Amino acid sequence: QERSDEHIKWVLTLAESKKNIGNDAYANEWSNGQGKSRIRYLYEKAAKELELIVDNPALQQESKEEDKDSAEKELLPKAKEVLIDCLNNIAAVELRAKEYHAAKAASVKVLQRDPDNFKGLIRAAKAALLDPASSYEEVDAAIEAAAEKANDVEATDLEKLKMDFRRRKQAYDKKSKNMYSKALGGHQDGKAKTPAKTGDSSVKEAETENSSSEPPTEPQTMEEAVVDNDTFSWSNWRSWPWSSIGAYAFQLSMPFVMYVVAMNARKNIGLEQQEDAFRTGPVTDTIPVHEEF
């Protein structure tokens, strides 16, 4: 029995030493996450050593014996306390490293051993809030559980977490509402454009009335216009697509117009050249003598 007590004391001393070294490294040797592995290793090593004691059924039974003194009975609860501290510190390391899923798993281990532990509850809530795999129901439940165990000093951190949760929840609800509205609008547009079924006579009648009330659409090109022989019947000349015919006729007449303009320009240029030659020709004072017959 004495050997078991000495063993517990020795393991507890080593675990506390590792935990304190890890605390010092967490405060001074983080170095942008480069010291994370060493810090987490110290906490995990201490936790594993303490688990062998805390979870040992024989040692648990011995601690309950009445003939043991108070100092010896406090060894096992002290080991459990240090174990929970190490697990909580592992969750803090994972949160600082932004490994939120791992932080949530470490917090769950804390709560399995101490369901009322506020540090475990608040860190579980923070990890759940920041973990993309978590649901808002899970976060809300974690925050409510932490609120039940919070005191006046811890209420400030909890209130900050609640505000962050509400802000994220409102942003998520707004985004979901916008996405739903867009999806619903697209569905309604697609539904409006869906053709009527064959057996729907009321829809057919409505389409017939609308088509009869609208003016006939004029073809956009002459090729389209020529295809419709009824449109170009002489008895129906008032309804001919004159806008298309006029545009086509204009295109046909443009080469002739350009030819006429070019010929007139050429003729004018020739007259101007002759006039210039007459004006700039040599001038003589000799009057020609007419021959007499």
Side-chain angles (χ1 to χ4, degrees):
Q1 183 176 351
E2 291 181 358
R3 291 181 60 184
S4 63
D5 293 342
E6 291 297 328
H7 177 69
I8 294 173
K9 289 180 181 179
W10 179 70
V11 173
L12 181 57
T13 302
L14 290 178
E16 284 185 315
S17 177
K18 290 183 176 68
K19 187 193 82 169
N20 293 332
I21 295 173
N23 292 346
D24 184 71
Y26 182 88
N28 303 303
E29 299 179 16
W30 183 261
S31 184
N32 294 326
Q34 296 180 5
K36 169 194 168 184
S37 299
R38 177 172 178 268
I39 298 167
R40 184 174 56 185
Y41 171 79
L42 289 167
Y43 291 140
E44 288 178 345
K45 185 66 174 176
K48 288 179 180 179
E49 293 173 352
L50 292 170
E51 283 176 348
L52 296 175
I53 297 175
V54 174
D55 297 337
N56 191 320
L59 294 177
Q60 292 177 359
Q61 184 63 31
E62 289 180 4
S63 65
K64 296 178 182 180
E65 295 178 359
E66 297 180 357
D67 59 344
K68 295 183 71 67
D69 57 23
S70 60
E72 293 176 347
K73 286 183 178 181
E74 291 177 356
L75 287 176
L76 206 59
K78 179 65 176 177
K80 183 179 180 180
E81 179 184 345
V82 178
L83 171 60
I84 291 175
D85 289 343
C86 291
L87 295 175
N88 258 325
N89 292 349
I90 293 172
V93 170
E94 301 294 359
L95 278 173
R96 188 174 182 181
K98 298 182 179 180
E99 299 289 343
Y100 302 120
H101 189 73
K104 186 168 62 174
S107 301
V108 169
K109 290 183 179 180
V110 174
L111 299 176
Q112 287 174 345
R113 295 184 178 275
D114 184 8
D116 298 334
N117 188 277
F118 179 77
K119 286 185 177 180
L121 290 169
I122 195 71
R123 286 171 183 169
K126 287 181 180 178
L129 178 63
L130 299 173
D131 184 13
S134 300
S135 63
Y136 281 104
E137 290 77 10
E138 180 183 359
V139 179
D140 191 25
I143 292 176
E144 291 298 326
E148 294 177 359
K149 305 299 179 182
N151 54 35
D152 295 339
V153 178
E154 299 163 340
T156 303
D157 293 338
L158 184 61
E159 190 61 31
K160 291 180 180 179
L161 187 62
K162 286 182 177 180
M163 291 177 62
D164 191 15
F165 172 67
R166 286 193 293 266
R167 179 179 59 82
R168 291 172 181 266
K169 185 68 165 58
Q170 290 174 357
Y172 175 79
D173 292 342
K174 183 177 180 181
K175 184 177 180 180
S176 300
K177 185 177 180 181
N178 292 338
M179 292 176 64
Y180 177 77
S181 299
K182 290 181 180 179
L184 183 61
H187 176 71
Q188 291 178 347
D189 293 342
K191 186 177 180 181
K193 294 177 182 179
T194 303
K197 295 182 179 180
T198 307
D200 194 349
S201 59
S202 61
V203 176
K204 280 187 173 182
E205 293 175 358
E207 291 180 352
T208 304
E209 293 177 358
N210 293 334
S211 61
S212 61
S213 60
E214 295 177 357
T217 304
E218 295 183 356
Q220 298 298 319
T221 62
M222 280 300 297
E223 289 78 6
E224 295 178 358
V226 170
V227 173
D228 191 358
N229 295 326
D230 294 337
T231 304
F232 285 94
S233 61
W234 289 105
S235 60
N236 196 26
W237 66 271
R238 293 182 181 274
S239 61
W240 286 7
W242 290 107
S243 59
S244 299
I245 295 174
Y248 191 67
F250 178 76
Q251 293 176 1
L252 292 176
S253 63
M254 282 303 297
F256 177 75
V257 173
M258 294 299 297
Y259 175 77
V260 173
V261 171
M263 292 301 295
N264 288 334
R266 183 177 180 181
K267 182 178 180 180
N268 293 333
I269 292 173
L271 292 175
E272 291 178 357
Q273 290 178 350
Q274 292 179 4
E275 185 177 356
D276 290 340
F278 176 77
R279 291 178 179 176
T280 58
V283 179
T284 58
D285 294 334
T286 303
I287 301 175
V289 178
H290 297 281
E291 295 180 358
E292 297 181 356
F293 296 97

